[in-house]
């Protein structure tokens, strides 16, 4: 039986064990794996902390801008909740496999500020081959000089999806910088017509094995015409060409998006959940 004395803060000495744990669930762990592959395990480079439980990391959790439980039975999740209560909430959301996020939130909900929303059913989907849907040939990487044309669509997508304007607090300086970074890295894609974004999406996380697509958005005036499926297929085609598995997760209630992703060829392998603050 796993005996839990409390999670420990992991460092570079734990990297091989962390990598083994992430490799065991590469699609669900993509967000964290992409960070670890780039920055290692030490928190000062990682942009967050990795907490571990057990000699073989039977429990693993990332704590940064998002709180991401990666593996663990109930005792490990309870240990993570204890640590999270002690340090206080600094994350903007909890996200990951539903069977980990929801029990962890059960432990924390009485101690942290109330959630704005709990999205308990978010199918996690993958595609390992070229898309079944023909890719939109006009979807391409956004160029750095197109930031000002791309940014309004990014703001609209974020506001529509998350429920808050990402420019609040600093007038949009931080969000603009993040979008500019995505563009500079070649991971923002769009179809432009007359200088306006018709479709957009990003590769939000990119590990050595998986690319996670996020921020899929179609201009409201152009919805229902197949732009979402064809545009997503173009991004999938790029990922498959890079030797990655394509992945995304979608709200269970979003029937049009789920239908579009099914046309592209995605299939569900698990369920995510997100707690928004």
């Amino acid at each position: 039986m796993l005996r839990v004395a409390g999670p420990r803060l992991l460092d570079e000495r734990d990297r091989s064990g962390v990598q083994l744990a992430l490799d065991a669930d590469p699609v669900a762990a993509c967000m964290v794996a992409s960070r670890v592959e780039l920055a290692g395990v030490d928190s000062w480079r990682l942009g967050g902390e990795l907490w571990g439980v057990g000699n073989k990391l039977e429990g693993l959790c990332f704590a940064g801008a998002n709180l991401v439980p990666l593996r663990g039975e109930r005792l490990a999740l309870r240990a993570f909740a204890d640590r999270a209560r002690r340090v206080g909430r600094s994350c903007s959301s909890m996200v990951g496999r539903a069977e980990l996020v929801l029990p962890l939130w059960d432990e924390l909900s009485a101690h942290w500020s109330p959630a704005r929303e709990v999205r308990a059913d978010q199918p996690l989907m993958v595609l390992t081959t070229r898309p079944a849907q023909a890719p939109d040939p006009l979807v391409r990487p956004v160029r750095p000089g197109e930031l000002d044309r791309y940014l309004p669509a990014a703001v609209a997508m974020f506001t529509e999806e998350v429920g808050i304007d990402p420019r609040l607090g600093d007038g949009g300086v931080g969000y603009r910088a993040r979008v500019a970074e995505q563009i500079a890295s070649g991971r923002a894609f769009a179809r432009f017509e007359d200088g306006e974004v018709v479709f957009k999406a990003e590769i939000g996380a990119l590990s050595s094995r998986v690319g996670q697509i996020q921020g899929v958005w179609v201009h409201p005036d152009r919805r229902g015409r197949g732009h979402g499926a064809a545009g997503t297929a173009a991004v999938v085609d790029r990922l498959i060409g890079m030797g990655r598995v394509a992945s995304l997760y979608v709200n269970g209630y979003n029937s049009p998006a789920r239908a579009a992703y099914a046309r592209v060829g995605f299939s569900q392998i698990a369920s995510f959940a997100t707690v928004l603050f």
Side-chain angles (χ1 to χ4, degrees), residues 76-100:
L77 295 175
R78 190 166 295 152
F80 293 143
D82 288 341
R83 183 172 185 124
R85 282 197 296 266
R86 291 197 303 271
V87 301
R89 183 181 71 79
S90 60
C91 61
S92 61
S93 71
M94 297 171 57
V95 61
R97 282 183 171 271
E99 66 266 28
L100 300 174

Side-chain angles (χ1 to χ4, degrees), residues 10-33:
L10 305 182
D11 58 33
E12 200 61 25
R13 293 169 294 182
D14 301 292
R15 183 161 186 168
S16 62
V18 168
Q19 196 63 61
L20 283 172
L22 298 175
D23 286 346
D25 195 11
V27 176
C30 176
M31 288 181 285
V32 177

